[in-house]
Amino acid sequence: MPDQTQLKEMLSELTGEVAESVTYLRELGVEGLESSVDFPARVETRDASSQSRAASPAPTVPLPRALERNARAEGAGKPPPRIILPPPPRRAGGETTKASYQSAMPKKPVRPPSPNPPAPRETLFGEIAPKDELSLGRPGETFDDIRDDIGECIRCPLHQGRTKIVHTEGNRQARLMFVGEAPGADEDASGRPFVGRAGQLLNKIIEAIGLKREDVLIGNVNRCRPPGNRAPTTEEAATCKPFLLREINVARPDVIIVLGNTAMKNLLDTREGITRLRGNFQDYKGIKVMPTFHPAYLLRDPSKKREVWDDMKKVRDYLNENKKS
Ligand code: URA
């Protein structure tokens, strides 16, 4: 059996988790939390005296202070609600441990986007109109936090036709990142960026400058495949892009190669076309950006490979000349 201090520690951790879930459900506008919460832990609002006394009453813990304040305001004079914890599960030997308790707790729910978009606001990336709070970056966040926030995304219509969300992949400490437009059929089926014919060519381009695919980071402006491989609309791109920008901010590569017009326009917020800007370093928040042609375009017009090779050499030279010791 855990001793009292361990039990207290377990309870306070679990209280935090339950409170977080309750706060989160409230944020989503889920109603009726006062009478039932869809977790093993529930928030009790009934007067303690009116409760039927079970032989072994479930342990209760007070609500965290912030929630208690809310509950008092809502409950006008009623005693503060308490969180009733589920009976701790027992292992075969009858012993309850923190691990066995936690394994029986529900996993953190996959967070869908909140239904009410917040107003445009000044962010790390300038003023943007985020689709929801979860698309906004937070200090100290990680790739996994961003992945969690994306969740089983339904923020734009592209989710309707997707098989898999295609997340950014590769070395999160990479000095070089590639950004494409959106997944095609092969990427949609596998859940990985640039694995189709254009991806095979991209692998060769990466190897041509002495790197391997695993050395670099590869992502897209949009993570769901547009029907018929059309370009994402402005709205679709604006919805998905904040997550890519957050990843860029976490990874801070030395150079980003934007592949093709759509990726370039989205990252650089420019009206210029790829033919004009390719081959010349641009800037995104202090990161060098090299626009070049998309490998899918090279498959259609192999004569353009020469220009891409010129652009890649500039990137290779920049990386070699700016090695950090
Ligand atoms: N084209 C892109 O822009 N991205 C992919 O992941 C695949 C093809």
Side-chain angles (χ1 to χ4, degrees):
M1 270 293 279
D3 63 24
Q4 256 204 324
T5 323
Q6 286 171 319
L7 257 177
K8 264 193 191 158
E9 202 185 295
M10 283 160 55
L11 285 177
S12 95
E13 252 179 56
L14 289 168
T15 310
E17 278 176 27
V18 173
E20 196 192 334
S21 301
V22 171
T23 312
Y24 166 61
L25 287 172
R26 280 218 173 101
E27 273 168 15
L28 286 183
V30 175
E31 297 188 348
L33 284 178
E34 275 65 49
S35 52
S36 76
V37 176
D38 200 15
F39 294 106
R42 64 196 165 82
V43 178
E44 177 205 356
T45 50
R46 279 180 298 163
D47 186 329
S49 61
S50 71
Q51 269 216 44
S52 60
R53 304 246 173 251
S56 168
T60 67
V61 289
L63 278 182
R65 264 202 297 277
L67 285 181
E68 190 182 315
R69 266 198 308 276
N70 282 349
R72 272 192 192 285
E74 286 160 19
K78 288 191 210 139
R82 297 171 72 79
I83 294 172
I84 303 179
L85 293 169
R90 295 192 172 273
R91 282 200 319 194
E95 192 189 343
T96 302
T97 64
K98 187 167 161 180
S100 69
Y101 202 115
Q102 282 181 336
S103 70
M105 288 299 286
K107 295 279 169 286
K108 202 170 166 188
V110 175
R111 303 204 277 166
S114 52
N116 305 316
R121 65 164 84 165
E122 185 61 27
T123 72
L124 199 55
F125 313 112
E127 181 161 297
I128 59 169
K131 200 76 176 167
D132 57 53
E133 296 289 344
L134 297 183
S135 58
L136 295 170
R138 291 181 294 282
E141 67 183 357
T142 64
F143 266 63
D144 292 338
D145 295 330
I146 299 167
R147 200 68 64 85
D148 275 357
D149 285 354
I150 294 168
E152 284 305 311
C153 187
I154 51 166
R155 292 170 178 85
C156 89
L158 293 184
H159 81 273
Q160 288 158 4
R162 77 160 177 250
T163 310
K164 287 190 174 161
I165 299 182
V166 177
H167 292 292
T168 303
E169 134 178 325
N171 179 355
R172 294 173 182 183
Q173 271 95 45
R175 297 184 66 208
L176 179 59
M177 177 174 190
F178 288 84
V179 172
E181 176 179 306
D186 295 312
E187 291 76 20
D188 175 65
S190 65
R192 298 182 55 212
F194 283 100
V195 292
R197 279 184 70 221
Q200 301 305 314
L201 182 52
L202 179 62
N203 291 349
K204 287 189 186 148
I205 293 171
I206 295 168
E207 282 158 18
I209 56 164
L211 295 171
K212 294 192 291 290
R213 184 178 164 109
E214 310 84 79
D215 297 329
V216 304
L217 199 52
I218 305 178
N220 281 301
V221 173
N222 274 85
R223 294 171 197 242
C224 296
R225 182 192 181 200
N229 292 348
R230 66 161 170 77
T233 64
T234 311
E235 168 73 9
E236 288 158 357
T239 303
C240 209
K241 186 168 71 166
F243 299 105
L244 175 77
L245 300 184
R246 284 167 62 186
E247 287 174 337
I248 291 173
N249 188 54
V250 171
R252 298 285 314 168
D254 293 336
V255 177
I256 299 172
I257 298 181
V258 279
L259 301 166
N261 234 346
T262 309
M264 183 191 78
K265 288 189 167 169
N266 271 293
L267 190 69
L268 299 177
D269 228 352
T270 178
R271 285 169 177 267
E272 300 284 0
I274 186 78
T275 311
R276 234 177 98 76
L277 290 193
R278 65 140 281 277
N280 298 303
F281 276 116
Q282 309 292 313
D283 175 81
Y284 171 75
K285 309 263 175 208
I287 299 173
K288 293 265 179 213
V289 176
M290 174 58 77
T292 196
F293 293 131
H294 194 289
Y297 178 57
L298 302 185
L299 290 171
R300 295 194 297 274
D301 183 355
S303 73
K304 296 287 185 289
K305 284 183 185 172
R306 169 163 292 283
E307 277 108 311
V308 172
W309 175 231
D310 289 342
D311 304 345
M312 295 302 296
K313 279 189 290 187
K314 286 185 190 167
V315 170
R316 180 192 63 192
D317 294 346
Y318 177 85
L319 290 174
N320 285 341
E321 285 156 20
N322 290 277
K323 274 199 177 124
K324 285 164 205 134
S325 50

